Structures are given as C-alpha cells and as structure tokens.
Amino acid sequence: MRPGCTPWPEEFAERYRAAGYWTGETLGAFLRDRARRFADRTAVVSAGERWTYAELDERADRLATGLARRLDLGPGDPVVVQLPNTPEVFEVVFALFRIGALPVYALPAHRSAEVGHLAAATGARALVTAAGGGFDHVGMALRVAAAADGPRPHVVDAAPGAADAPREGVRPLADLRSDTVDPTVFAAPDPGDAAFFQLSGGTTGLPKLIPRTHDDYLYSVRASADICELTPDTVYLSALPVVHNFPMSSPGFLGVMHAGGSVVLAPDPSPATCLGLIEAERVTLASVVPPVAMLWLDAVDGGAESGRDLSSLHTLQVGGARFAPEAARRVAPVLGCRLQQVFGMAEGLVNYTRPEDDDATVTGTQGRPISPDDEIRVVRPDGAEAAPGEPGELLTRGPYTIRGYYDAPAHNARAFTEDGFYRTGDVVRTTPTGHLVVEGRVKDQINRGGEKIAPDEVEDHLLAHPGVHDAAVVAMPDPYLGERACAYVIPRDGAEDLTRPAVLRFLRGRGLASYKIPDRVEVVPAFPATGVGKVSRRDLRAAIADAAARPAGRA
Ligand code: AMP
Ligand code: DBH
C-alpha cells in the first residue's frame, strides 16, 4: 500500500477476499465494464447535458490521454478535485482512475485553508476546479498552487467556457481532451491500494485524509446497490455535492452506475430545483441531509411546490445528521415515497434501513450495517461492552472501514483501538433487530445539518487574531440545522476593535470553508456559565456539553 496508509492485517484481507467482498476490480475498470453492458443507456443528466455510458467512457479515455500526455500525470499522482455538480466531475474522476491518479475530494464550500491543506498533505500534482458559482475557485486554486512547497501543481478549469477567456497559469479542461486515445497511458493499479482520498469532518485540528481502496470501496458500492434494490431503471437525484461520500457511494452515483441506472445532478438542493428535476426526469431515488428533507416537506405540504407530480419518486434517503422522528414520519404521507435512513461515515461503515423494515424501524432507527462482516461494538466510557440496548460509543471494523487516516500515526493511535476498531465518536444503542439508533456523540464535533465542524480547527484560526485572548466554539441547538456553531471570544486587553463583524471578516480572510464560519459570535470579558474563575476553552466546552446533557432545571 502507499506509504502513509494502514493496510488491513493479512488474515482479514484473506477473509474479505474469500467472502467475495474484495474482487480485485478497480474503479477505472468499473466504468469500462458498465460501458460495455449499458452502452446506450443514459449515465448522466446534468446542466442540460445527457451522456450515455459509452460517451462517458470515451470522454474518460480522451481526458485520461490528455492528462497523461499534456500534464504528465500518472500512477500514484494525487489530484485535488473541487467541482460542483456538473457532468465534468464524472469525466474528470474516471479519467484520473484510468491513469491510476488519485482524486483528493474537496467540497465546493472549501476555501484556501482546506484546499491548501489537502494539496500540501498529499503533495498534489494538480488542482481541478471550475469557474462560476459566485466564488472565484480558480483564483483560489492559483493561490494554493503558488504557495505549494516543491513543484507547482497544475491548475485546471473545468468550466465549459474556460477556453474562451484563458487565464494566465490555468489549463482549460477542453485543452486537455485529446482527440485520440492512447491506451498506453492506462494504468492497472493494485486494487488493494488507495484509489482516492475522502475528507473527514474531523474532530481535531486540520481535516484528516481518508484513503479508500478500490477493493473496499467497490464492495460497499455493490452491496449498497443490492440493499437499495437498484436496477437499470433507477433514476437517482443527487442534491448534495457528489464528491461527498454519501452521494458517491451510499449507494450514490457509483451504486447507480453499478446497476446501469441514470444519475441526475442537481445544481443546488432547493425544493424548486430538485422537485422540478424529480418531476421532469421521473426520478426514483434521491438523497438529502435532514435540513433539505425538511425544506422539501414544507414546500410540498401546502407550500410553493404542492402541485408537483412526484409519483416517480420511490425512496428518499436521508442521512448525514440526526433526522428527527417527527420529520421522518412526514416523508411517506407528504412526498408519497418511502424513507430510507442512512447513517454513514467517509471512514467506512454505512447503515441503512431496509426496504423490508416496518414503519417504526424506518422512522425510528438509523438502519443496520451493510455487511455481515461489519463488526459493531458499543462500549461504555471505561471501554467495557454496553448491555444490549444500552447507549455507548460505537466502535467498528470491517471490510470497508479504514484502519487508519493517511499519514497520521499520532491521531490514529487515538482514533483506532489496538485491534483495529475505528472509534466513531457516535453514541448509539442497538435494537433487538440489530438496528442502530444514534443517541448523541462523545466526539468534539459540531454537526451543522450534515456538515461537520471541528471546534478546534476554528478556534485555532480565532487564536491567530492578534486581538483574541481566548476562544471557544460550541454547538447551539437549531430547529432547522440541528446545530449551529457559536464562537465565544475574549479580547486581549486594549483590543477594543474586536467586534463581531471584524471577527467574521478575519475568519473569512483566513480562507475557512463557509459552513465553518460561526453563525454567532459573542465577544465576552470571560467565558460564561462556569463561575469558577479562569477557565480554559477546553473546560468551557466540557461544561457546556455537560450542561446540555443534563435535564433542564438541574444545575
Ligand atoms: P464523517 O466522518 O465526516 O464522514 O461524518 C460522519 C458522521 O456523521 C458520523 O460519524 C455521524 O456522527 C454523522 N452522521 C452521519 N449520518 C448520520 C445519521 N443518519 N444520523 C446521525 N448522525 C449521522
Ligand atoms: O455523514 C456522512 O459522512 C455520511 C452520511 C451518509 C456518509 O459518509 C455516508 C452516508 O456514506
């Protein structure tokens, strides 16, 4: 395996191969095989374009040729991919797979702090992004490339108009599409090696990189497609950015392509856009985070979209954050479709409620694991096994859960047990049927409607402000997003200009992803709610978490 990655112990690898989970298929070969079987079927619908499987396959070949010949990219080269929901995202990632290069996925909301970190941590050789969308992603990529230690990564603009107004130092994607295909550039990567990097929401400091292998990921994809009963007639709508793990693999676009179905990319998650696409494209399956599900429910339930014909929609998948049971119970009557809850993580383990589950299970649990070989432990704070039904921290290992973050030995020693279980930081209880109910978490993280924020990371940026003496970022409950972030900031003596807008401006200037910018900033003389004198930000977080966990009215 690539240095910095943690392999599964050989006895586990053998077991997963013998069970037929790890088949040796690679992501590059995956598309080739689908293109043979489903050549003329529609693979992708997006931004007015419609590509068949054969077309997507050919585009991947042509771009692979250009990337190899003109940018000298090849096996093992990491490439940061930060693209919105446009068809080019598929062309780019499959071209990279074909030459054995490794996509490093960044969300469109990420800014220079995150993208710079991804590029530096992987030694990226190129950044593929796209102009448009109200933020200058290309300019940001140029700044990140200029700041790189070592050879300057290429910057590629995948926006359709990029070649019309070429920008200094930027390669338009159109210039990299070779007219001919050179099969000598195709690589045959080791299916047991890292195929790409996903980003973890993280709990401490900078986001961690998650290396996923061809073998492990494609197993989760195939099994997910089976569980979700996908067929060539599946029409899947991704309302989330498709580079996120959920719309990529749970079952996501890869699961849909495995089955030969069609993927419809929504440019934004709004009810008008998405419900319009569901009606127009006869969408059968869609995946959303809870706040988006709630918006759709309200828009259809007597709102602006109540006249839509949503009769094609068979299943709405909701995941990424806690979906309140009251909202879950509205899905079937309001949208006229089934609900499927999805509790997953980019590190691996994914749980689904199943088509055969009864209503109470579908609305009241977060599903059960994909694989019979997903090992689940629920433990008490002292590490002892919880009793059946008792809440505890979820630990897991299995055929598609990583054994370590990339190049992070110190962090791995805390995030994994000695025998290789990933400490999810989620508090769950199990039901007698083996379903999991997410009850809370022990990890220091804010889940803002599915977008994860590590308080530490934001605090470190706040502490870099010369006028900030101390800072604490904590979750505050929110009826729509579940949680939002609030930053408490103590000014240094004499720092009178440390106002709320100044703090927000400072954070934006640091290049932090928009969803990590605190929703509320309180400039305070000392941290509130403790009354025990000088309190560190860690103590404060612990105190607030503790207070929130106690029933109201008790001190
Ligand atoms: P990440 O590790 O950044 O991929 O984020 C995964 C985390 O999102 C999980 O460990 C949970 O904390 C949270 N999560 C995902 N799906 C759900 C869900 N259906 N209900 C509650 N929390 C969820
Ligand atoms: O939140 C997640 O990271 C997530 C949610 C649902 C995920 O990675 C997944 C399904 O695969």
Side-chain angles (χ1 to χ4, degrees):
M1 252 183 139
R2 187 186 188 87
C5 297
T6 313
W8 281 262
E10 195 45 42
E11 78 225 62
F12 285 86
E14 269 166 28
R15 176 147 46 101
Y16 298 152
R17 277 189 213 104
Y21 303 148
W22 294 2
T23 62
E25 187 178 23
T26 62
L27 280 148
F30 167 88
L31 176 64
R32 184 75 82 221
D33 183 62
R34 305 301 114 178
R36 287 207 181 103
R37 284 207 234 172
F38 305 112
D40 298 325
R41 297 194 71 99
T42 302
V44 181
V45 179
S46 166
E49 302 222 32
R50 229 166 255 280
W51 296 351
T52 63
Y53 278 89
E55 248 177 292
L56 173 60
D57 190 52
E58 198 210 319
R59 282 174 177 272
D61 277 351
R62 288 176 46 207
L63 183 60
T65 304
L67 291 172
R69 286 227 196 113
R70 294 173 200 169
L71 299 188
D72 191 30
L73 294 177
D77 287 338
V79 174
V80 175
V81 177
Q82 186 183 37
L83 290 172
N85 280 1
T86 53
E88 288 78 18
V89 70
F90 298 119
E91 185 183 3
V92 169
V93 303
F94 283 112
L96 292 171
F97 290 139
R98 220 146 251 185
I99 58 174
L102 282 71
V104 183
Y105 295 115
L107 294 171
H110 286 142
R111 294 294 176 259
S112 55
E114 292 88 12
V115 176
H117 166 64
L118 292 178
T122 58
R125 293 225 30 234
L127 307 164
V128 184
T129 186
F135 175 78
D136 184 13
H137 284 97
V138 176
M140 178 177 83
L142 284 169
R143 287 195 303 281
V144 167
D149 291 336
R152 191 174 184 281
H154 302 284
V155 172
V156 177
D157 184 352
D164 305 336
R167 208 163 148 174
E168 176 86 35
V170 178
R171 301 293 298 254
L173 191 75
D175 288 1
L176 299 171
R177 291 185 180 117
S178 168
D179 293 334
T180 55
V181 174
D182 175 4
T184 65
V185 306
F186 299 158
D190 174 357
D193 210 340
F196 60 85
F197 292 100
Q198 269 288 1
L199 202 56
S200 143
T203 53
T204 52
L206 289 163
K208 299 287 174 295
L209 283 154
I210 299 171
R212 298 289 301 261
T213 67
H214 300 271
D215 268 337
D216 92 70
Y217 209 61
L218 282 172
Y219 166 54
S220 78
V221 164
R222 284 188 295 268
S224 294
D226 281 351
I227 289 168
C228 300
E229 301 179 345
L230 306 188
T231 73
D233 294 324
T234 298
V235 181
Y236 170 67
L237 179 85
S238 178
L240 300 165
V242 279
V243 293
H244 187 282
N245 197 57
F246 179 13
M248 189 173 299
S249 64
S250 301
F253 76 81
L254 288 172
V256 173
M257 289 182 180
H258 171 75
S262 306
V263 178
V264 180
L265 292 181
D268 68 76
S270 70
T273 300
C274 290
L275 300 170
L277 280 168
I278 291 173
E279 184 174 38
E281 298 293 341
R282 306 294 296 160
V283 166
T284 62
L285 171 71
S287 56
V288 295
V289 287
V292 171
M294 270 144 44
L295 281 183
W296 290 12
L297 286 169
D298 289 346
V300 171
D301 197 4
E305 305 294 328
S306 54
R308 294 277 184 203
D309 172 9
L310 304 177
S311 58
S312 61
L313 189 64
H314 183 271
T315 303
L316 180 71
Q317 293 188 298
V318 182
R322 179 175 185 271
F323 193 36
E326 310 80 69
R329 281 193 287 270
R330 289 176 69 202
V331 170
V334 172
L335 298 177
C337 69
R338 284 194 62 92
L339 167 69
Q340 179 176 50
Q341 297 213 41
V342 188
F343 163 41
M345 51 207 75
E347 288 82 355
L349 182 71
V350 179
N351 303 275
Y352 296 104
T353 57
R354 302 297 206 267
E356 63 273 18
D357 286 341
D358 59 33
D359 289 349
T361 305
V362 169
T363 56
T365 79
Q366 279 63 57
R368 59 185 174 83
I370 287 180
S371 176
D373 278 298
D374 281 320
E375 299 174 69
I376 299 293
R377 292 179 60 205
V378 180
V379 301
R380 295 177 179 156
D382 65 3
E385 305 295 323
E390 178 192 338
E393 184 184 2
L394 169 65
L395 312 186
T396 186
R397 75 181 176 188
Y400 60 98
T401 297
I402 56 164
R403 293 296 185 118
Y405 292 99
Y406 182 60
D407 207 10
H411 183 69
N412 286 340
R414 293 189 298 275
F416 295 82
T417 65
E418 248 165 54
D419 52 355
F421 280 81
Y422 169 53
R423 299 182 201 272
T424 66
D426 294 310
V427 173
V428 303
R429 65 179 166 84
T430 51
T431 70
T433 52
H435 288 71
L436 304 180
V437 179
V438 182
E439 299 264 342
R441 60 172 181 252
V442 289
K443 58 189 166 189
D444 195 8
Q445 189 178 69
I446 299 169
N447 190 332
R448 190 180 182 278
E451 294 188 298
K452 319 301 185 313
I453 304 169
D456 254 22
E457 186 188 357
V458 183
E459 288 165 4
D460 286 347
H461 283 282
L462 287 166
L463 290 169
H465 191 294
V468 169
H469 167 70
D470 206 349
V473 176
V474 294
M476 42 180 197
D478 181 80
Y480 167 58
L481 289 174
E483 294 174 8
R484 289 182 192 263
C486 173
Y488 288 99
V489 180
I490 303 176
R492 265 188 214 288
D493 288 345
E496 268 100 38
D497 56 345
L498 194 76
T499 58
R500 204 170 298 179
V503 169
L504 294 177
R505 231 181 0 258
F506 176 77
L507 286 180
R508 288 202 193 91
R510 302 270 302 173
L512 206 57
S514 38
Y515 63 85
K516 295 182 191 168
I517 306 287
D519 297 281
R520 189 162 141 181
V521 176
E522 297 289 326
V523 181
V524 292
F527 287 143
T530 58
V532 286
K534 195 167 162 24
V535 186
S536 78
R537 57 200 171 104
R538 270 170 229 287
D539 294 342
L540 174 70
R541 279 209 308 265
I544 289 175
D546 193 41
R550 240 174 278 138
R554 283 169 50 193

